[in-house]
Structure formats: structure tokens, C-alpha cells
Amino acid sequence: MTNSSEFNSDLPNYKLCPKLLVGQKALVTGANSGIGQAVAIGLARAGADVIINYVTNDAAAQEVVKLIEAEGVRGMAIEADVSKEVEVVDMFAKALDAFGTLDILVPNAGLQRDSSLVNMTLSEWNTVIGINLTGQFLCIREAVKEFLRRGVRKEVSCAAGKIICMSSVHEVIPWAGHANYAASKGGIFMMMKSMAQELAPHRIRVNSIGPGAIRTPINTAAWSTPEAYAALMDLVPYRRIGEPEDIANVAVFLASDMADYIHVLFIFVDGGMTCYPGFATGG
Ligand code: NAD
């Protein structure tokens, strides 16, 4: 029987990425670490020019820009807090000024402020909802204005715009001690579906990805010790942690014309976490 860490080293070859997005312009929020960084590099590897948004750590953002440019495309970093309307509007103005237009938006920025219900402050609640949910709304609204203004650019894509919301398995799995986070991701579910209904006639595709346990700074405590990793594997039937590139690959596909007839899809990329593995032997 192979143990968890051996499974963990048995990763796919993430380099096999066709140039599906040549000529397209993308913006990824919260992209100077973790999933956002991997998505930004994945989109660049597929041929898109990519703007990354960040809120802290300019040095890390500039490193990601270098990695984007190393793929032979244009990269740029814009600082903005996605929960602040003025900053989001300003970010899109700068992005359009620099890149001319936009084809792909991945509203990915997010965080956790964990607390038991009775100890959760209004500030912890509002911070998480403000960034994880309102931040996505603000960025999507600004991106859609540009998609509607410009329409389809047949030379690069069949669609006028592609939006890929970053949700979570906690869109459907309740999470005690994280009511603010689960509510923000549950909110993305109906926000995305409602926006998708409104935007489809304009050839704007809206989908979302629900990552399971992905190895990033947001959840270091869940994978950084052997004990924590082993406990995590009880929740992951596929018996390995997800890597940010697992999410990037799906984002590239959803952004591409390979997925042109895919609209309002919630795709979980979670090694089976949403099949409730506790019920494999119980219930
Ligand atoms: P991460 O902490 O590495 O990345 C989150 C990014 O969001 C960081 O770059 C952070 O600076 C940025 N951010 C936070 N507040 C911001 C703000 N106000 N404005 C702009 N950027 C801001 O963690 P990650 O795991 O890469 O998370 C990315 C997304 O994936 C989040 O939405 C998270 O909820 C989601 N997600 C992650 C996992 C996982 O297991 N890692 C699972 C499910 C969902």
C-alpha cells in the first residue's frame, strides 16, 4: 500500500499546456501567491497577456510578473483592495489603459478570518464577505462593462468575455467555525448563476471553480506537518493534496474556446472531497 506522501509526489505533468489563449488579455485577482499565481502563470503559458492584482507584498507580485513574462507574453501587476469600489474601478481603468481590453477575469482573491460563531466579530464577518464575495461582484461588474462595450473579438475567442469565479468546496460543505467563509462561498453560488443567466445572451460565459484542499498559504496548518497531512487525507478520497496547478489547468480550459459551450458550471477540483468520504464506511 502506498502511503500519502508517495501519492503526493505522483503529480501530473503540468507543463503540457496547449496555447489556447493566444492574443487574449486576462486579469487575475489575489495573484501574487497560491492559486491566483498558478492561474496567472497557467493563462500566460497558454498565450494570454496577464495582469495580476495584489493587495500586499509588491516584491512577490513583481516576481509573478517575471514568471508571466518568461512565458513570452505581457505581464503587469496592479495593487488594489478588491473590497474597495474606488480601488477596483481604478484598477480596471489602469488595466484597460495598459492592455487595451480584457477577455478573461478570474476573481480569485480571498481570505479566512476563522472564529466560533459566538466569538465572531462583525469585523471578521464583514472582512470575509467584503473580499470574498463583494470583491468578486465589483471586479465582475467592471470586467463585464468592458466585455459589453467591445463584444466578441472573433480573432481571439468565440465569446465576448470569460469569467471564472474562485469558489470553494465550502460552497456546499458546511464548515463550523468558518461561517463567514462558507457564507461568502455559498454566496458566490447564486451570484454566479444569476449573473450567468443575465450575461449569456451577450456571449459572456460565467463559470466557477471550487477548489478542495490545495497547498497554499491560506491553509498551511492543514498540510505542513505529517500529522496534519494524514488527517487531511481522511477528507480526500484521491489521497493527495491538490496543487495550485490543478486549479490553473481547469481555469485555462474554462477560459478557452475548448469550453465555449460551458456556461454556469460549478466544477469542484477537490480529489473527491465533495463526495463526503466519511460516508464511505459510515451512515
Ligand atoms: P492565498 O492566501 O495564497 O491567496 C489569496 C490571495 O488573495 C493572496 O494573494 C492575498 O493577498 C489576496 N487577497 C486577500 N485580500 C485581498 C484583497 N482585499 N484584495 C486583493 N487581494 C487580496 O490562498 P489561496 O489558497 O491561493 O486562495 C485563493 C482563492 O482560492 C481564495 O478565494 C480561496 O478562498 C480559494 N480557495 C482556496 C483553497 C485552498 O485549499 N487553498 C480551497 C478552496 C478555495
Side-chain angles (χ1 to χ4, degrees):
M1 180 68 189
T2 315
N3 67 31
S4 298
S5 60
E6 284 168 321
F7 270 118
N8 197 36
S9 64
D10 185 19
L11 294 170
N13 179 359
Y14 293 118
K15 292 279 179 189
L16 296 174
C17 186
K19 296 276 179 199
L20 295 169
L21 305 176
V22 171
Q24 300 197 45
K25 319 284 179 191
L27 191 155
V28 185
T29 66
N32 61 347
S33 76
I35 290 171
Q37 172 175 335
V39 168
I41 293 167
L43 296 173
R45 192 165 287 160
D49 295 327
V50 183
I51 293 171
I52 62 158
N53 152 259
Y54 69 102
V55 71
T56 56
N57 199 344
D58 179 68
Q62 298 311 326
E63 282 305 310
V64 178
V65 169
K66 280 186 199 155
L67 292 169
I68 289 168
E69 289 173 344
E71 299 296 335
V73 296
R74 287 183 68 194
M76 179 182 178
I78 303 179
E79 182 181 347
D81 179 338
V82 296
S83 68
K84 302 216 165 90
E85 184 174 27
V86 174
E87 295 188 29
V88 171
V89 170
D90 184 58
M91 171 172 73
F92 276 83
K94 285 178 182 154
L96 295 178
D97 191 44
F99 276 25
T101 192
L102 191 69
D103 304 282
I104 299 159
L105 172 71
V106 185
N108 161 82
L111 47 60
Q112 292 176 216
R113 291 286 180 270
D114 307 332
S115 173
S116 65
L117 179 61
V118 292
N119 291 317
M120 187 175 287
T121 63
L122 182 58
S123 169
E124 287 168 334
W125 175 270
N126 282 339
T127 297
V128 172
I129 299 293
I131 293 167
N132 295 12
L133 183 58
T134 308
Q136 292 210 8
F137 154 68
L138 290 171
C139 292
I140 293 169
R141 188 188 67 187
E142 295 311 302
V144 166
K145 286 179 190 169
E146 172 60 11
F147 299 158
L148 292 174
R149 182 200 67 76
R150 193 211 54 227
V152 174
R153 290 201 294 155
K154 277 190 186 150
E155 64 279 17
V156 296
S157 178
C158 309
K162 284 70 67 93
I163 296 163
I164 301 156
C165 300
M166 202 56 67
S167 185
S168 165
V169 288
H170 294 297
E171 177 187 289
V172 295
I173 301 178
W175 206 14
H178 307 73
N180 48 1
Y181 184 83
S184 74
K185 298 302 185 179
I188 289 171
F189 181 75
M190 284 311 294
M191 178 181 74
M192 177 281 225
K193 285 176 73 164
S194 302
M195 289 175 172
Q197 200 179 49
E198 185 173 334
L199 296 172
H202 301 283
R203 285 286 168 96
I204 297 169
R205 291 195 294 108
V206 189
N207 294 292
S208 85
I209 298 174
I214 309 299
R215 193 198 309 270
T216 76
I218 210 173
N219 59 0
T220 307
W223 49 262
S224 54
T225 66
E227 298 74 25
Y229 192 87
L232 182 64
M233 288 306 100
D234 289 341
L235 301 174
V236 183
Y238 202 61
R239 309 294 288 177
R240 76 163 169 87
I241 194 169
E243 301 294 338
E245 290 78 6
D246 287 310
I247 307 302
N249 286 338
V250 177
V252 168
F253 169 69
L254 287 176
S256 78
D257 282 358
M258 299 266 286
D260 189 54
Y261 212 48
I262 298 180
H263 186 61
V264 210
L265 173 70
F266 276 86
I267 182 166
F268 290 113
V269 183
D270 67 350
M273 192 179 251
T274 36
C275 74
Y276 297 91
F279 279 85
T281 52

